[in-house]
Amino acid sequence: MPLRRVLEPEVMDSDEEARDYDAMDHAGVNAAFCDDLTALAPDLGAVLDVGTGTARIPVALCARRADARVTAVDLAPSMLAVAAENVEREGLGDAIRLQRIDAKRLPFDDATFSAVMSNSIIHHVPEPETALAEMVRVLRPGGVLFVRDLARPEDEAAVAAIVASHAADDTPAQRALLEASLRAALTVDEVVVRVQPHGVEAAAVRVTSDRHWTLAWRKPAPGRA
Ligand SMILES: C[S@@+](CC[C@H](N)C(=O)[O-])C[C@H]1O[C@@H](n2cnc3c(N)ncnc32)[C@H](O)[C@@H]1O
């Protein structure tokens, strides 16, 4: 039987957790995220980053794309405090706007953003269908939705193999965090059933590494082929 989903706490909300998260080296996965997004959406426009954490991805995106303007939202004040330091240090205060907002209730009109991106938050959210529906709602027709997260492994052996392969040199606490996050993650099929009611085809959700799925989708625009 496949592993059942075991939730993690929704937000990472102590100062220590925020600093620890920010100190982890995600530069490679963040660069890959930005490369994949910009390949799909060369015309970025107004971008929403849902669950921005310490804003490392908006910072990396704006460093390579001077035209990018990102609204970066998170529910955890401690993460946003570190995010503000990161944005300030890079001189990106005009390009990145930080806001404390719940992904399940985005206070934006329908069709506000030309790109909506989100990395590694769906496994934190107890009702991921609500957050995914909100991302589709605030996306403009013709805009790009780009969501990436961990995928829940098939069995205990697969959990152990991923932790051994990707966290062997990490601290015990970091290994435990990866393991808990894998157990809290959705499978590709679970993502598909949550996004199909909002017009996203199953083919838009794919396994993209030994531990990730990616939803890459352009919202249909009436009259555009
Ligand atoms: C693993 S971190 C990922 C941060 C960032 N996207 C990155 O890739 O570095 C998950 C983030 O999701 C945020 N989060 C969890 N539930 C949320 C919600 N309902 N609304 C907004 N942010 C949420 C957490 O506070 C945390 O900052």
Side-chain angles (χ1 to χ4, degrees), residues 137-148:
R137 181 184 66 75
V138 301
L139 182 64
R140 281 184 200 149
V144 163
L145 176 61
F146 191 78
V147 184
R148 180 167 285 165

Side-chain angles (χ1 to χ4, degrees), residues 10-11 20 32 34 77 90 112 114-116 154 179 222:
E10 183 163 4
V11 294
D20 281 356
C34 293
E90 300 300 325
T112 297
S114 48
V116 176
E154 274 288 304
E179 180 169 337

Side-chain angles (χ1 to χ4, degrees), residues 44 52 76 81-82 105-106 134 150 152 220:
L44 274 177
T52 196
V82 180
R105 284 180 291 277
L106 297 176
E134 282 289 86
L150 293 168
R152 194 168 74 255

